[in-house]
Amino acid sequence: MARSDYVINLYSYTLNHTAQQAMTELADLGFNAFELMMYPGHLWMPDMDAGARAGLRRFIEGRNLHIQSVNQPNIDINVTAAAPEMREYTIMMMARMIECAGEFGARQVLIGPGKVNPLMPMPRDRLVGPL
């Protein structure tokens, strides 16, 4: 199999590389398909204005790279939080991630919805109801 047959998940690069730095390093080794990780310092929408997103898109296109997916592993956001403000913030961040994925041509978005507090779970009707 050629290296182009693999999609590389960038999770192990989240703490010490930006997404672009990680893709550069791996593209230089012959890989061209990636799963980007939505993580502060790596690929984080609040840190990226339209110009930064356009620059990353130009980099991806210029290197003929493929973004298979954008993954949100960040446990700091939680759609099942008891606080409605946290749920609202989480949904806003997920929407921004989906927009980002579209800008970079990703085929998939992976979303970790968070988890219910095991010590004091919110009632189900409040978890699945409107904000």
Side-chain angles (χ1 to χ4, degrees):
M1 289 187 145
R3 290 183 181 183
S4 61
D5 293 334
Y6 295 94
V7 175
I8 306 299
N9 172 291
L10 298 180
Y11 187 79
S12 62
Y13 289 84
T14 57
L15 297 179
N16 55 8
H17 290 74
T18 66
Q20 185 168 334
Q21 290 168 336
M23 288 187 288
T24 297
E25 187 174 304
L26 292 162
D28 289 347
L29 295 173
F31 297 100
N32 68 350
F34 302 97
E35 177 177 72
L36 303 180
M37 306 304 290
M38 191 66 61
Y39 198 85
H42 181 73
L43 179 69
W44 194 240
M45 289 302 86
D47 295 341
M48 298 183 77
D49 62 14
R53 291 190 312 273
L56 185 56
R57 186 174 56 250
R58 283 190 302 276
F59 165 79
I60 291 165
E61 292 168 354
R63 294 288 304 255
N64 198 28
L65 304 177
H66 168 72
I67 306 305
Q68 177 66 34
S69 53
V70 176
N71 187 335
Q72 179 270 115
N74 194 333
I75 61 172
D76 295 337
I77 63 175
N78 187 355
V79 80
T80 64
E85 298 85 359
M86 189 67 229
R87 294 193 309 272
E88 186 176 327
Y89 175 76
T90 297
I91 290 168
M92 182 269 304
M93 288 299 294
M94 288 177 176
R96 289 174 82 179
M97 184 181 82
I98 292 166
E99 290 172 12
C100 163
E103 286 186 49
F104 302 144
R107 294 182 181 179
Q108 301 166 328
V109 174
L110 289 83
I111 295 174
K115 60 183 178 179
V116 176
N117 183 329
L119 296 175
M120 197 152 134
M122 186 186 319
R124 179 170 169 60
D125 61 326
R126 290 190 50 205
L127 281 174
V128 298
L131 291 179

